[in-house]
Amino acid sequence: MAVTVLIPTTLRGFAQQHSEVEVPAGTAAEVLAAVAEKYPDIREAVFADDGTLREFVHVFVGDRSIQELQGFATPVPDGAEVMLIPTIAGGSGVHAPLIPENREKLSNDEISRYSRHLLLKEVGVAGQRRLKAAKVLIVGLGGLGAPLAQYLAAAGVGTLGLVDFDEVELSNLQRQVIHRTRDIGRPKVASAKEAIRGINPQVKVNTYDYPLTADNALDILGEYDIIVDATDNYPARYLINDACVLLGKPDVFAAMFQFEGQVTVFYGKEGPCYRCVYPSPPPPGLVPSCSQGGVMGVLPGILGTIQAGEVIKLIVGGGRPLIGRMLVIDAWNMKFRELKLPHNPDCPISGTHPSIHELETYDYQDFCGLKKQEEESVEAIAAKELKQRLDAGEHITLVDVREPHERAIIKFPKAKVIPIGQLARRQDELDPSRVTVFICKEGKRSILAIRTLREAGYHGPMFNLKDGINSWARDVDASMPQY
């Protein structure tokens, strides 16, 4: 008798890159223990020091979380599937429209433009008027925000707010289809606004080319009917969630990594919020970003258009939005799964007795462990200094913590290869009497590598190559590509 445990891409580095594993049937605790025995590195990633499951990981048996069942005592029968769902980031019936019907008459041009909507009885004239009256805020104009802005503009959403303080880079163009090559170096909000004007000049566009913070979130989000989370970092996700709960607004959420994605609608009035599902974020660096681990270019297009569909349903009413449900997508194997998300009555912001009542006094950087990360300093070495010390004959051990497929892009000369998930158990391969410099793409995973070894008891001198192998390509060896 056996069950199949599905391992998401964010945790496969701790499971020898396997996507699934068969273990004996039993209780949820026994199944997880069998996985940890088979892949010892995954234990530290999934379990806290006291043996409890980390709060950023959910375990599902079938489509239900073990939190809704019997916890670790939940029986897992022969042939069942168990899913580990980390954050990256009952259902609802027919939903009433969020936007009151707008009696303003549609112009002849609007009737022609939106005729395919008007032919749908579920949308019709009343629904199109609601779309015209609606105000939607998109936070993030990257891979998710790009299709969102385009499709919502094409659908006739009357006002779109765009929040992003980044500029367009060459590496964005693989998936952020609202931007063009000529836009490299331009603010993303400016590029997106121009593209929206080209799609539908009748849409009003408000731009915010500065970060969303605890000080300004309520003021900005308060001007809109629906908020769409298209961000890529945990402080922003928790901030958006909390502001939406306090304002009573829906948070249309998506997250992605490599080939996998998640989409849901967090709406504290009617179902769970983000904190209900993920009470706390993972330790900094444990779950890589797309810039570190990559993403299939079309995946954010799939997720972003699903988000756009959820927004439209919420505006016009009807349909069954993803409130209390999460759609999990594996684009590589083309599998869609739906999971039920319960509301947590003990949630600190949407629960029965909330403890979070305002944003200004809440430190999101500290909550996500980023301030602690700054305080636990890791010594860095610049690429030029490392080159000088190597040329002078200094005995330095170089350790490349990237995965094999990433090293195929470019190899770092004379570096020892130890993937980050194997460091703790392979520390005996390092000489604590010698300086060791850790190398990754951007200098972020190498910081996590040093912290991992410190926690495992390694005491040798360790340095992080500042800004990673890309800095070496930029400042030392121009023949190497930056990626």
Side-chain angles (χ1 to χ4, degrees):
M1 299 201 315
V3 301
T4 301
V5 179
L6 305 177
I7 302 173
T9 52
T10 48
L11 296 176
R12 287 177 194 166
F14 303 98
Q16 300 174 19
Q17 297 303 325
H18 291 156
S19 60
E20 59 182 53
V21 59
E22 284 195 352
V23 297
T27 64
E30 291 168 340
V31 168
L32 293 173
V35 173
E37 182 177 356
K38 192 174 186 68
Y39 304 116
D41 293 327
I42 209 170
R43 185 186 303 276
E44 185 176 350
V46 173
F47 293 99
D49 293 339
D50 61 0
T52 59
L53 195 68
R54 291 183 184 266
E55 289 186 329
F56 73 90
V57 180
H58 269 260
V59 178
F60 285 82
V61 176
D63 67 347
R64 297 186 67 187
S65 169
I66 61 172
Q67 291 183 351
E68 287 188 277
L69 302 170
Q70 300 174 41
F72 285 118
T74 301
V76 184
D78 182 35
E81 280 191 344
V82 176
M83 292 186 68
L84 301 178
I85 301 292
T87 178
I88 321 206
S92 172
V94 175
H95 200 273
L98 289 179
I99 310 300
E101 185 175 351
N102 175 19
R103 292 294 182 179
E104 182 181 349
K105 187 177 179 181
L106 297 176
S107 68
N108 288 347
D109 284 346
E110 287 173 322
I111 289 173
S112 295
R113 180 182 285 271
Y114 307 123
S115 64
R116 300 305 187 269
H117 267 175
L118 302 179
L119 291 169
L120 299 171
K121 65 181 179 63
E122 292 86 354
V123 180
V125 172
Q128 195 62 49
R129 286 172 174 168
R130 288 189 172 100
L131 285 166
K132 184 177 180 179
K135 298 179 179 180
V136 177
L137 182 71
I138 302 171
V139 187
L141 289 171
L144 295 169
L148 266 163
Q150 290 172 301
Y151 272 101
L152 292 181
V157 172
T159 302
L160 287 176
L162 310 176
V163 180
D164 202 304
F165 58 94
D166 281 342
E167 295 179 347
V168 180
E169 298 178 357
L170 179 61
S171 62
N172 298 151
L173 303 183
Q174 169 250 14
R175 64 205 174 279
Q176 300 178 17
V177 294
I178 201 168
H179 310 298
R180 300 290 180 263
T181 301
R182 66 174 182 269
D183 296 318
I184 293 173
R186 293 183 69 193
K188 287 185 178 180
V189 290
S191 169
K193 182 174 183 178
E194 181 180 316
I196 290 169
R197 291 293 191 201
I199 294 169
N200 191 346
Q202 297 170 346
V203 175
K204 179 182 178 182
V205 181
N206 302 323
T207 60
Y208 308 86
D209 59 350
Y210 48 84
L212 196 69
T213 68
D215 292 325
N216 63 28
L218 292 179
D219 290 336
I220 295 175
L221 272 62
E223 296 296 318
Y224 295 86
D225 304 304
I226 297 171
I227 314 303
V228 188
D229 183 350
T231 61
D232 61 359
N233 65 87
Y234 294 111
R237 293 201 184 282
Y238 283 97
L239 173 61
I240 292 168
N241 173 81
D242 295 353
C244 284
V245 173
L246 293 179
L247 293 168
K249 299 180 186 293
D251 171 8
V252 181
F253 168 94
M256 61 188 172
F257 181 70
Q258 295 187 347
F259 303 103
E260 296 178 357
Q262 306 169 355
V263 188
T264 188
V265 178
F266 293 119
Y267 196 14
K269 280 185 175 181
E270 301 184 19
C273 74
Y274 185 66
R275 283 185 187 269
C276 291
V277 182
Y278 301 114
S280 64
L286 182 63
V287 177
S289 66
C290 290
S291 66
Q292 297 168 336
V295 63
M296 185 167 68
V298 300
L299 178 60
I302 297 168
L303 299 170
T305 50
I306 293 174
Q307 283 180 288
E310 292 301 299
V311 170
I312 291 170
K313 286 190 296 182
L314 290 170
I315 292 171
V316 303
R320 187 173 174 234
L322 286 169
I323 299 172
R325 300 181 295 143
M326 177 179 283
L327 189 64
V328 179
I329 300 171
D330 179 348
W332 193 246
N333 296 300
M334 198 43 65
K335 290 186 177 181
F336 287 68
R337 294 179 175 88
E338 181 184 306
L339 306 176
K340 296 177 182 178
L341 302 180
H343 177 261
N344 178 9
D346 298 321
C347 176
I349 193 162
S350 67
T352 308
H353 302 289
S355 58
I356 300 173
H357 303 284
E358 57 182 22
L359 303 182
E360 291 84 352
T361 58
Y362 196 91
D363 193 328
Y364 288 89
Q365 296 290 317
D366 185 51
F367 173 70
C368 292
L370 299 181
K371 282 194 172 179
K372 181 181 178 183
Q373 185 180 32
E374 292 172 4
E375 292 168 0
E376 296 174 353
S377 62
V378 169
E379 290 189 88
I381 184 170
K384 288 183 178 180
E385 181 186 349
L386 177 59
K387 178 69 164 57
Q388 291 170 355
R389 292 172 65 171
L390 290 171
D391 289 347
E394 186 172 343
H395 296 295
I396 296 176
T397 301
L398 305 175
V399 177
D400 188 341
V401 299
R402 297 175 300 156
E403 295 297 326
H405 66 274
E406 195 176 348
R407 292 195 303 278
I409 301 170
I410 184 65
K411 293 180 173 62
F412 198 91
K414 300 181 179 179
K416 184 179 183 64
V417 175
I418 306 180
I420 195 167
Q422 302 175 17
L423 270 174
R425 61 184 170 86
R426 293 178 60 183
Q427 61 177 294
D428 291 343
E429 298 177 27
L430 303 178
D431 184 352
S433 67
R434 292 179 59 166
V435 169
T436 302
V437 176
F438 292 86
I439 300 162
C440 65
K441 177 193 170 188
E442 298 176 331
K444 296 178 181 177
R445 279 172 289 174
S446 48
I447 292 175
L448 177 62
I450 292 172
R451 291 200 172 100
T452 298
L453 282 174
R454 282 179 179 171
E455 291 175 2
Y458 184 79
H459 298 295
M462 297 181 287
F463 290 82
N464 162 49
L465 178 59
K466 187 177 181 181
D467 298 328
I469 198 171
N470 280 347
S471 69
W472 188 271
R474 183 183 64 243
D475 300 333
V476 174
D477 186 355
S479 68
M480 294 175 64
Q482 298 182 50
Y483 67 99

